[in-house]
């Protein structure tokens, strides 16, 4: 049972364009939604996170949009750069889960120069 | 601080052989996790620990055992390796409370022939 569905599986964007990755969840108990970034040969690292009491969070070129009623959230990368090429994972956490995160299956982003 | 380290980085096993993967963290985190990452499957939780001397099953625990004898170390064992256990294994740790951020190690690539 996949509790966090992520799309697309892969994404190719031109330098300077906007990259958008979407996630949807089912469990209404989730109360923390992080995004992790993974470069080839490395472990995932926290990129940005949001709580469901806000609709948007922005850090530099990275923005999370959150729609609680639709149970969806998305990552927007503005002015995408070749250095942003990586795999991105959305995740969700609920307080009663012993600090376990439920991850989406990941999106491989390629930004062409 | 080294953060989360994993040993070894790469290993080749024959079917039926056993091995132990070591994870160490120097951040005094209470929680530790073992994940496996397979193409198109995202990160799947194998086992986790909420403190020294305690372990619990995750999403895909079959064929693996774990031990947390010291707070800073979390061991993942394969008693009788199978080709289906060919994967990249990631260890992560997190502190109690706060942002629930999980910090990942660099991974161990395991090939079972």
């Amino acid at each position: 049972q996949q509790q966090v569905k992520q799309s697309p599986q892969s994404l190719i964007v031109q330098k300077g364009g906007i990259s958008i990755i979407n996630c949807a969840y089912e469990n209404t108990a989730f109360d923390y939604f992080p995004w992790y970034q993974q470069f080839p040969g490395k472990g995932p690292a926290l990129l940005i996170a949001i709580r469901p009491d806000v609709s948007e969070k922005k850090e530099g070129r990275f923005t999370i949009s959150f729609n609680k009623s639709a149970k969806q959230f998305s990552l927007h990368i503005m002015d995408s750069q070749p250095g942003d090429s990586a795999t991105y994972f959305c995740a969700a956490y609920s307080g009663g889960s012993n600090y376990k995160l439920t991850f989406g299956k990941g999106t491989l982003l390629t930004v062409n120069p | 601080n080294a953060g989360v380290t994993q040993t070894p980085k790469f290993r080749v096993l024959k079917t039926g052989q056993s091995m132990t993967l070591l994870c160490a963290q120097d951040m005094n985190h209470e929680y530790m996790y073992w994940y496996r990452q397979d193409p198109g499957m995202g990160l799947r939780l194998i086992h986790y620990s909420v403190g020294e001397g305690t372990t619990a099953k995750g999403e895909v625990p079959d064929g693996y055992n774990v031990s947390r004898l010291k707070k800073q170390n979390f061991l993942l064992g394969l008693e009788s390796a199978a080709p289906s256990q060919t994967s990249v294994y990631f260890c992560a740790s997190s502190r109690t409370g706060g942002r629930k951020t999980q910090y990942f190690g660099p991974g161990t690539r395991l090939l079972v022939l």
Side-chain angles (χ1 to χ4, degrees), chain B residues 38-58:
Chain B
D38 304 290
M41 299 298 291
L43 291 154
R44 293 183 291 171
L45 184 65
I46 304 172
H47 286 279
Y48 65 100
S49 168
V50 299
E52 182 178 323
T54 68
T55 63
K57 295 180 180 180

Side-chain angles (χ1 to χ4, degrees), chain B residues 44-85:
Chain B
R44 293 183 291 171
L45 184 65
I46 304 172
H47 286 279
Y48 65 100
S49 168
V50 299
E52 182 178 323
T54 68
T55 63
K57 295 180 180 180
E59 181 185 354
V60 288
D62 294 343
Y64 305 95
N65 57 76
V66 288
S67 64
R68 181 102 181 267
L69 298 180
K70 294 182 179 180
K71 185 178 183 178
Q72 64 268 33
N73 295 337
F74 196 27
L75 279 62
L76 177 70
L78 286 74
E79 292 183 345
S80 179
S84 61
Q85 294 177 305

Side-chain angles (χ1 to χ4, degrees), chain A residues 25-110:
Chain A
Y25 63 97
E26 299 167 358
N27 187 350
T28 55
F30 288 144
D31 60 4
Y32 176 69
F33 301 88
W35 285 87
Y36 281 78
Q37 180 188 53
Q38 183 182 29
F39 292 107
K42 303 292 185 182
L46 179 68
L47 179 65
I48 186 172
I50 196 169
R51 296 190 180 279
D53 54 346
V54 298
S55 60
E56 185 176 283
K57 183 173 181 180
K58 183 176 181 180
E59 291 186 3
R61 295 183 294 108
F62 300 90
T63 299
I64 300 178
S65 297
F66 189 85
N67 185 330
K68 188 174 182 178
S69 61
K71 291 186 286 186
Q72 295 175 346
F73 58 110
S74 60
L75 176 69
H76 296 234
I77 306 175
M78 310 300 289
D79 187 26
S80 298
Q81 299 296 312
D84 297 331
S85 297
T87 299
Y88 292 82
F89 294 96
C90 62
Y93 160 91
S94 66
S97 65
N98 271 333
Y99 293 86
K100 290 185 294 179
L101 287 172
T102 300
F103 285 88
K105 292 190 175 183
T107 296
L108 177 61
L109 172 65
T110 302

Side-chain angles (χ1 to χ4, degrees), chain B residues 17-34:
Chain B
Q17 287 184 320
S18 64
M19 78 163 294
T20 300
L21 282 67
L22 171 64
C23 175
Q25 52 95 4
D26 61 2
M27 297 175 282
N28 201 35
H29 285 169
E30 288 291 335
Y31 298 86
M32 297 187 75
Y33 315 83
W34 274 108

